[in-house]
Amino acid sequence: MITLFDPNTDIDLGTPARDSQVQVTLNIDGRSISVPEGTSVMRAAALLGTTIPKLCATDSLEAFGSCRMCLVEIDGMRGYPASCTTPVSEGMNVHTQTSKLATLRRNVMELYISDHPLDCLTCSANGNCELQTVAGQVGLREVRYGYDGDNHLADQKDTSNPYFDYDPSKCIVCNRCVRACEETQGTFALTITGRGFESRVAAAGGENFLDSECVSCGACVQACPTATLMEKSVVELGQPERSVITTCAYCGVGCSFRAEMKGDQLVRMVPDKNGQANHGHSCVKGRFAWGYASHPDRITKPMIRKHINDPWQEVSWDEAVTYAASEFRRLQQKYGRDSIGGITSSRCTNEETYLVQKLVRAAFGNNNVDTCARVCHSPTGYGLKQTLGESAGTQSFDSVMQADVILVIGANPSDAHPVFASQLKRRLREGARLIVIDPRRIDLVDTVHGRAELHLALRPGTNVAMLNALAHVIVTEGLLDQAFIDARCEGSDFARWSEFVSRAENSPEVLGAICGVAAADIRAAARLYATGGNAAIYYGLGVTEHSQGSTAVMGIANLAMATGNIGREGVGVNPLRGQNNVQGSCDMGSFPHELPGYRHISNEVIRAQFEQAWNVTLQPDPGLRIPNMFESALAGGFKGLYCQGEDIAQSDPNTQHVTAALSAMECIVVQDIFLNETAKFAHVFLPGASFLEKDGTFTNAERRISRVRKVMEPLGGKADWEGTVALANALGYPMNYQHPSEIMDEIASLTPTFTNVSYAELERHGSLQWPCNAAAPDGTPTMHIEEFVRGKGRFMLTGYVPTEEKVNSRYPLLLTTGRILSQYNVGAQTRRTENVAWHDEDRLEIHPTDAESRGINEGDWVGIGSRAGQTVLRARVSERVAPGVVYTTFHFPESGANVITTDNSDWATNCPEYKVTAVEVSRVYHPSEWQKRYQEFSDEQQRLLEQRRHEGSAGAKAEVRR
Ligand code: SF4
Ligand code: SF4
Ligand code: SF4
Ligand code: FES
């Protein structure tokens, strides 16, 4: 169901909504109201506009009934029931304001206040404290018990968490924080210790919040009605004055936030209750890790230099784009039209990526545009297009609440997609069954109240073998949904596929040995997936970043079609996108072979539409992919690059190959907020804008397009789209947009899946899931309902081809990589926040057996050598990885995780095989040679930055141009 966006629903209605077709009518203070069965009296009253005082209730949590503040009188019922825990019934007659109730409520409030520091004027919650508000509502005028009895006023504050304080002297033990941690976040990190007067909130697993199991999601802070749990930023800056709704710029969940401001200063980010992807929840990154936006490392002036060993020269925007344009034209004249290209970023908005690819195609005159999705989800685009007909996930996140079986393969949602993980865990607590297929024992395998029924810890690189073995069981044991296949899929393709997977060579007994997983477990997983009711697959980069990434995606789609688990809620194929706008950057035509909306550049009819709209002639052949750009640069053909918001020097595989290619180029233009690793090789630096400084849209993993709204002016003077417009105009290709809404209008006019998308419609709906057009004017939460986008679903053959990356006696271990909750991708943002309190270096996880045989102890420096290179990290000895497998995160450039990853890539899309590298690990005492070189180069670049000549300094510009 599509719910229209209602910005007024920020009012706390006390208890959660109930979903029932049965309406119940009751009277409250003489007024009649009908509400769904199961609704509380408190919520019904609130819907009528009647406020019943409350402290322990809030509408994001189930009612608890502990504070006794919300008492009411109900005709025919004895005593004074709590309105939060009393459900409505037909004909009920409720009184919320009687003199007896007033006395009772005042008495309860007196008790609370007698143990509360009366420092309201200096309290950080002053003006936004529910205790204060309720004291006013009940008309408290005196506290007869005095303040001299036993109290908690001297309890010590816990300030250990970098983002919020816990001041127990203000705690009213309402339990909201404990329930928020359980119900909303699913971490169960809080508990109430002691009884009665001794009751206190405690963080489990540590002396204080920082050392506890708390993951800093902020749900408890949000739920706390007093200043007991309070953001440090509010303590420091005071209560905010206004707010702007925007979208998180970290992961592909796309959480909606209220950016709460005081003047031009951001005070806090509060998850938006109306957010259709997050429903008022958040993780530590979106909620707290926004300090990078005003970090002193921000570069806010355009800069140019002739050579990368020259100091930078600050210049005006005009001078910078004029210089960049003249260099690009010089290179094209000297080396040919195809000697330059551009890279779009999944961190930027749809409008910005659209403009970069337009600039490349229309102003550069070639199709040399690619995006960072090349190195993450390009196999999703290919695999789902081949099988289902559309390069996108099939469901909404909310769909998981209808799933009976959840299969997570090659994804780690609690670290990489935390808010979705909380929803998934909620569904597990309701009884859904979980299968995890991952080489590593990820958190989901064993969470509180939600253990995986099966964890198939396969060897890295064997996903396709595993998927084929699962398919074999489904076909040979008669677990197919034949009616679905007959009605919805291509018969001949299905026949070929079922014959193929039925072969003995694809049995779990044969392939299980390759995967390193017991055949019985594979059979059990296949049976559970095929017969356990609604079954949904969630996958991530652990599927795509392989030499057979596209094959694995097709294997997943095959499983869903074979069991009829697609085309309704609770099922489907769900790629969990890494960055905030991976889906959008792909949708916007960032790939060299596709125009916006995934239309091939060779299609004359489509090309003609763009040619007419853009007033240019477009090249009909696909341009260079990122790896081809590097190869061509090393061969001397590719000389210039416009790179917006992407750090290829850190994020792409085989770092030494990448940096050699960058060094071979003559003009690299980087548009970013920091001098990132790629910018160290750049000749022009255009200051980027953070997500707080611009308007636009992001599209999350559910195809949900959400508004990004400017909350402050760009520190560098231009939003990124304005920088691209300036560059296009300097190149002689006119672009005239006054606002990103005009860019979206152009996108909608040229992209059939976006026809009904506009800023006005986004305002009306809150967000929209594409396709959004005449056939689906309000968007499409679930895809492929009646038929597949391509008509009939197409089973694809998925023969298992082992990766060329093999272990041998020299490289006997398999390295795989992933993320951690507190850091994000290349870490450029999160490394510049307090999140380093949780993760300030990348470590190598190694199984105790492998560690012991190499004499490695926890914390030792270890050298990791592969066929591509060497690096050094500290060891973490852990049973999370199986023997023979090692694992690291890649958030710090000096870790050099990509120095060791190889050039192997997906056969269809060139997505790098980050997840499988044969390595040897040994104890060492010095950094690797690469790390020493990196450090020297980095220090030198930092020095050149610090020595930059400021705008207007004599002689410098002439020097650059010589
Ligand atoms: S911040 Fe989140 S994880 Fe930590 S205690 Fe609060 S609700 Fe639990
Ligand atoms: S910390 Fe806040 S939410 Fe938790 S029990 Fe105390 S007052 Fe209630
Ligand atoms: S889950 Fe993702 S989108 Fe949501 S707050 Fe965290 S990082 Fe941002
Ligand atoms: S709000 Fe109902 S008992 Fe606390």
Side-chain angles (χ1 to χ4, degrees), residues 948-961:
R948 64 186 177 271
R949 298 184 185 110
H950 296 290
E951 203 180 343
S953 61
K957 289 175 205 164
E959 207 172 284
V960 172
R961 297 212 181 86

mmCIF file with all atom_site columns, all heavy atoms in Angstrom, residues 948-961:
data_model
loop_
_atom_site.group_PDB
_atom_site.id
_atom_site.type_symbol
_atom_site.label_atom_id
_atom_site.label_alt_id
_atom_site.label_comp_id
_atom_site.label_asym_id
_atom_site.label_entity_id
_atom_site.label_seq_id
_atom_site.pdbx_PDB_ins_code
_atom_site.Cartn_x
_atom_site.Cartn_y
_atom_site.Cartn_z
_atom_site.occupancy
_atom_site.B_iso_or_equiv
_atom_site.pdbx_formal_charge
_atom_site.auth_seq_id
_atom_site.auth_comp_id
_atom_site.auth_asym_id
_atom_site.auth_atom_id
_atom_site.pdbx_PDB_model_num
ATOM 1   N N   . ARG A 1 948 ? 50.150 25.568 -0.309  1.00 0.00 ? 948 ARG A N   1
ATOM 2   C CA  . ARG A 1 948 ? 49.406 26.107 -1.448  1.00 0.00 ? 948 ARG A CA  1
ATOM 3   C C   . ARG A 1 948 ? 49.447 27.630 -1.429  1.00 0.00 ? 948 ARG A C   1
ATOM 4   O O   . ARG A 1 948 ? 49.417 28.252 -0.358  1.00 0.00 ? 948 ARG A O   1
ATOM 5   C CB  . ARG A 1 948 ? 47.972 25.589 -1.473  1.00 0.00 ? 948 ARG A CB  1
ATOM 6   C CG  . ARG A 1 948 ? 47.077 25.980 -0.326  1.00 0.00 ? 948 ARG A CG  1
ATOM 7   C CD  . ARG A 1 948 ? 45.765 25.231 -0.472  1.00 0.00 ? 948 ARG A CD  1
ATOM 8   N NE  . ARG A 1 948 ? 44.810 25.449 0.580   1.00 0.00 ? 948 ARG A NE  1
ATOM 9   C CZ  . ARG A 1 948 ? 44.732 24.735 1.695   1.00 0.00 ? 948 ARG A CZ  1
ATOM 10  N NH1 . ARG A 1 948 ? 45.595 23.774 1.943   1.00 0.00 ? 948 ARG A NH1 1
ATOM 11  N NH2 . ARG A 1 948 ? 43.778 24.972 2.578   1.00 0.00 ? 948 ARG A NH2 1
ATOM 12  N N   . ARG A 1 949 ? 49.518 28.161 -2.652  1.00 0.00 ? 949 ARG A N   1
ATOM 13  C CA  . ARG A 1 949 ? 49.539 29.621 -2.771  1.00 0.00 ? 949 ARG A CA  1
ATOM 14  C C   . ARG A 1 949 ? 48.095 30.089 -2.790  1.00 0.00 ? 949 ARG A C   1
ATOM 15  O O   . ARG A 1 949 ? 47.264 29.518 -3.494  1.00 0.00 ? 949 ARG A O   1
ATOM 16  C CB  . ARG A 1 949 ? 50.236 30.034 -4.054  1.00 0.00 ? 949 ARG A CB  1
ATOM 17  C CG  . ARG A 1 949 ? 51.686 29.584 -4.083  1.00 0.00 ? 949 ARG A CG  1
ATOM 18  C CD  . ARG A 1 949 ? 52.360 30.112 -5.340  1.00 0.00 ? 949 ARG A CD  1
ATOM 19  N NE  . ARG A 1 949 ? 53.698 29.598 -5.459  1.00 0.00 ? 949 ARG A NE  1
ATOM 20  C CZ  . ARG A 1 949 ? 54.070 28.713 -6.385  1.00 0.00 ? 949 ARG A CZ  1
ATOM 21  N NH1 . ARG A 1 949 ? 53.206 28.256 -7.265  1.00 0.00 ? 949 ARG A NH1 1
ATOM 22  N NH2 . ARG A 1 949 ? 55.313 28.279 -6.432  1.00 0.00 ? 949 ARG A NH2 1
ATOM 23  N N   . HIS A 1 950 ? 47.834 31.083 -1.995  1.00 0.00 ? 950 HIS A N   1
ATOM 24  C CA  . HIS A 1 950 ? 46.453 31.533 -1.903  1.00 0.00 ? 950 HIS A CA  1
ATOM 25  C C   . HIS A 1 950 ? 46.099 32.424 -3.076  1.00 0.00 ? 950 HIS A C   1
ATOM 26  O O   . HIS A 1 950 ? 46.967 33.014 -3.714  1.00 0.00 ? 950 HIS A O   1
ATOM 27  C CB  . HIS A 1 950 ? 46.220 32.216 -0.558  1.00 0.00 ? 950 HIS A CB  1
ATOM 28  C CG  . HIS A 1 950 ? 46.404 31.234 0.567   1.00 0.00 ? 950 HIS A CG  1
ATOM 29  N ND1 . HIS A 1 950 ? 45.516 30.212 0.803   1.00 0.00 ? 950 HIS A ND1 1
ATOM 30  C CD2 . HIS A 1 950 ? 47.410 31.067 1.447   1.00 0.00 ? 950 HIS A CD2 1
ATOM 31  C CE1 . HIS A 1 950 ? 45.960 29.472 1.814   1.00 0.00 ? 950 HIS A CE1 1
ATOM 32  N NE2 . HIS A 1 950 ? 47.107 29.962 2.227   1.00 0.00 ? 950 HIS A NE2 1
ATOM 33  N N   . GLU A 1 951 ? 44.835 32.467 -3.337  1.00 0.00 ? 951 GLU A N   1
ATOM 34  C CA  . GLU A 1 951 ? 44.339 33.197 -4.511  1.00 0.00 ? 951 GLU A CA  1
ATOM 35  C C   . GLU A 1 951 ? 44.909 34.615 -4.531  1.00 0.00 ? 951 GLU A C   1
ATOM 36  O O   . GLU A 1 951 ? 44.929 35.297 -3.504  1.00 0.00 ? 951 GLU A O   1
ATOM 37  C CB  . GLU A 1 951 ? 42.812 33.266 -4.452  1.00 0.00 ? 951 GLU A CB  1
ATOM 38  C CG  . GLU A 1 951 ? 42.188 33.483 -5.786  1.00 0.00 ? 951 GLU A CG  1
ATOM 39  C CD  . GLU A 1 951 ? 40.676 33.554 -5.668  1.00 0.00 ? 951 GLU A CD  1
ATOM 40  O OE1 . GLU A 1 951 ? 40.133 33.131 -4.641  1.00 0.00 ? 951 GLU A OE1 1
ATOM 41  O OE2 . GLU A 1 951 ? 40.073 34.046 -6.607  1.00 0.00 ? 951 GLU A OE2 1
ATOM 42  N N   . GLY A 1 952 ? 45.393 35.007 -5.685  1.00 0.00 ? 952 GLY A N   1
ATOM 43  C CA  . GLY A 1 952 ? 45.893 36.367 -5.815  1.00 0.00 ? 952 GLY A CA  1
ATOM 44  C C   . GLY A 1 952 ? 47.377 36.504 -5.537  1.00 0.00 ? 952 GLY A C   1
ATOM 45  O O   . GLY A 1 952 ? 47.955 37.564 -5.760  1.00 0.00 ? 952 GLY A O   1
ATOM 46  N N   . SER A 1 953 ? 48.031 35.423 -5.064  1.00 0.00 ? 953 SER A N   1
ATOM 47  C CA  . SER A 1 953 ? 49.457 35.567 -4.794  1.00 0.00 ? 953 SER A CA  1
ATOM 48  C C   . SER A 1 953 ? 50.210 35.706 -6.120  1.00 0.00 ? 953 SER A C   1
ATOM 49  O O   . SER A 1 953 ? 49.877 35.063 -7.111  1.00 0.00 ? 953 SER A O   1
ATOM 50  C CB  . SER A 1 953 ? 49.984 34.392 -3.974  1.00 0.00 ? 953 SER A CB  1
ATOM 51  O OG  . SER A 1 953 ? 49.814 33.205 -4.686  1.00 0.00 ? 953 SER A OG  1
ATOM 52  N N   . ALA A 1 954 ? 51.204 36.511 -6.109  1.00 0.00 ? 954 ALA A N   1
ATOM 53  C CA  . ALA A 1 954 ? 51.845 36.947 -7.350  1.00 0.00 ? 954 ALA A CA  1
ATOM 54  C C   . ALA A 1 954 ? 52.517 35.814 -8.116  1.00 0.00 ? 954 ALA A C   1
ATOM 55  O O   . ALA A 1 954 ? 53.160 34.955 -7.555  1.00 0.00 ? 954 ALA A O   1
ATOM 56  C CB  . ALA A 1 954 ? 52.882 38.002 -7.011  1.00 0.00 ? 954 ALA A CB  1
ATOM 57  N N   . GLY A 1 955 ? 52.312 35.875 -9.402  1.00 0.00 ? 955 GLY A N   1
ATOM 58  C CA  . GLY A 1 955 ? 53.115 35.034 -10.282 1.00 0.00 ? 955 GLY A CA  1
ATOM 59  C C   . GLY A 1 955 ? 52.728 33.579 -10.360 1.00 0.00 ? 955 GLY A C   1
ATOM 60  O O   . GLY A 1 955 ? 53.102 32.871 -11.293 1.00 0.00 ? 955 GLY A O   1
ATOM 61  N N   . ALA A 1 956 ? 51.953 33.119 -9.371  1.00 0.00 ? 956 ALA A N   1
ATOM 62  C CA  . ALA A 1 956 ? 51.745 31.682 -9.297  1.00 0.00 ? 956 ALA A CA  1
ATOM 63  C C   . ALA A 1 956 ? 50.925 31.149 -10.451 1.00 0.00 ? 956 ALA A C   1
ATOM 64  O O   . ALA A 1 956 ? 51.237 30.112 -11.021 1.00 0.00 ? 956 ALA A O   1
ATOM 65  C CB  . ALA A 1 956 ? 51.084 31.351 -7.978  1.00 0.00 ? 956 ALA A CB  1
ATOM 66  N N   . LYS A 1 957 ? 49.866 31.901 -10.830 1.00 0.00 ? 957 LYS A N   1
ATOM 67  C CA  . LYS A 1 957 ? 48.983 31.376 -11.878 1.00 0.00 ? 957 LYS A CA  1
ATOM 68  C C   . LYS A 1 957 ? 49.723 31.271 -13.207 1.00 0.00 ? 957 LYS A C   1
ATOM 69  O O   . LYS A 1 957 ? 49.595 30.303 -13.933 1.00 0.00 ? 957 LYS A O   1
ATOM 70  C CB  . LYS A 1 957 ? 47.776 32.282 -12.034 1.00 0.00 ? 957 LYS A CB  1
ATOM 71  C CG  . LYS A 1 957 ? 46.839 32.177 -10.877 1.00 0.00 ? 957 LYS A CG  1
ATOM 72  C CD  . LYS A 1 957 ? 45.744 33.184 -11.023 1.00 0.00 ? 957 LYS A CD  1
ATOM 73  C CE  . LYS A 1 957 ? 45.183 33.504 -9.656  1.00 0.00 ? 957 LYS A CE  1
ATOM 74  N NZ  . LYS A 1 957 ? 44.391 34.705 -9.674  1.00 0.00 ? 957 LYS A NZ  1
ATOM 75  N N   . ALA A 1 958 ? 50.510 32.262 -13.466 1.00 0.00 ? 958 ALA A N   1
ATOM 76  C CA  . ALA A 1 958 ? 51.263 32.246 -14.715 1.00 0.00 ? 958 ALA A CA  1
ATOM 77  C C   . ALA A 1 958 ? 52.162 31.018 -14.751 1.00 0.00 ? 958 ALA A C   1
ATOM 78  O O   . ALA A 1 958 ? 52.311 30.362 -15.782 1.00 0.00 ? 958 ALA A O   1
ATOM 79  C CB  . ALA A 1 958 ? 52.097 33.500 -14.818 1.00 0.00 ? 958 ALA A CB  1
ATOM 80  N N   . GLU A 1 959 ? 52.700 30.671 -13.589 1.00 0.00 ? 959 GLU A N   1
ATOM 81  C CA  . GLU A 1 959 ? 53.584 29.519 -13.489 1.00 0.00 ? 959 GLU A CA  1
ATOM 82  C C   . GLU A 1 959 ? 52.859 28.239 -13.869 1.00 0.00 ? 959 GLU A C   1
ATOM 83  O O   . GLU A 1 959 ? 53.370 27.387 -14.577 1.00 0.00 ? 959 GLU A O   1
ATOM 84  C CB  . GLU A 1 959 ? 54.055 29.434 -12.044 1.00 0.00 ? 959 GLU A CB  1
ATOM 85  C CG  . GLU A 1 959 ? 55.400 28.770 -11.860 1.00 0.00 ? 959 GLU A CG  1
ATOM 86  C CD  . GLU A 1 959 ? 55.830 28.923 -10.415 1.00 0.00 ? 959 GLU A CD  1
ATOM 87  O OE1 . GLU A 1 959 ? 56.270 30.024 -10.020 1.00 0.00 ? 959 GLU A OE1 1
ATOM 88  O OE2 . GLU A 1 959 ? 55.663 27.943 -9.694  1.00 0.00 ? 959 GLU A OE2 1
ATOM 89  N N   . VAL A 1 960 ? 51.586 28.111 -13.379 1.00 0.00 ? 960 VAL A N   1
ATOM 90  C CA  . VAL A 1 960 ? 50.812 26.911 -13.676 1.00 0.00 ? 960 VAL A CA  1
ATOM 91  C C   . VAL A 1 960 ? 50.561 26.799 -15.164 1.00 0.00 ? 960 VAL A C   1
ATOM 92  O O   . VAL A 1 960 ? 50.648 25.730 -15.752 1.00 0.00 ? 960 VAL A O   1
ATOM 93  C CB  . VAL A 1 960 ? 49.473 26.936 -12.913 1.00 0.00 ? 960 VAL A CB  1
ATOM 94  C CG1 . VAL A 1 960 ? 48.588 25.793 -13.355 1.00 0.00 ? 960 VAL A CG1 1
ATOM 95  C CG2 . VAL A 1 960 ? 49.719 26.868 -11.421 1.00 0.00 ? 960 VAL A CG2 1
ATOM 96  N N   . ARG A 1 961 ? 50.287 27.941 -15.800 1.00 0.00 ? 961 ARG A N   1
ATOM 97  C CA  . ARG A 1 961 ? 49.881 27.890 -17.208 1.00 0.00 ? 961 ARG A CA  1
ATOM 98  C C   . ARG A 1 961 ? 51.065 27.729 -18.161 1.00 0.00 ? 961 ARG A C   1
ATOM 99  O O   . ARG A 1 961 ? 50.878 27.464 -19.317 1.00 0.00 ? 961 ARG A O   1
ATOM 100 C CB  . ARG A 1 961 ? 49.107 29.167 -17.549 1.00 0.00 ? 961 ARG A CB  1
ATOM 101 C CG  . ARG A 1 961 ? 47.829 29.276 -16.741 1.00 0.00 ? 961 ARG A CG  1
ATOM 102 C CD  . ARG A 1 961 ? 46.743 29.978 -17.500 1.00 0.00 ? 961 ARG A CD  1
ATOM 103 N NE  . ARG A 1 961 ? 45.571 30.066 -16.671 1.00 0.00 ? 961 ARG A NE  1
ATOM 104 C CZ  . ARG A 1 961 ? 45.369 31.047 -15.788 1.00 0.00 ? 961 ARG A CZ  1
ATOM 105 N NH1 . ARG A 1 961 ? 46.245 32.005 -15.640 1.00 0.00 ? 961 ARG A NH1 1
ATOM 106 N NH2 . ARG A 1 961 ? 44.293 31.043 -15.056 1.00 0.00 ? 961 ARG A NH2 1
#
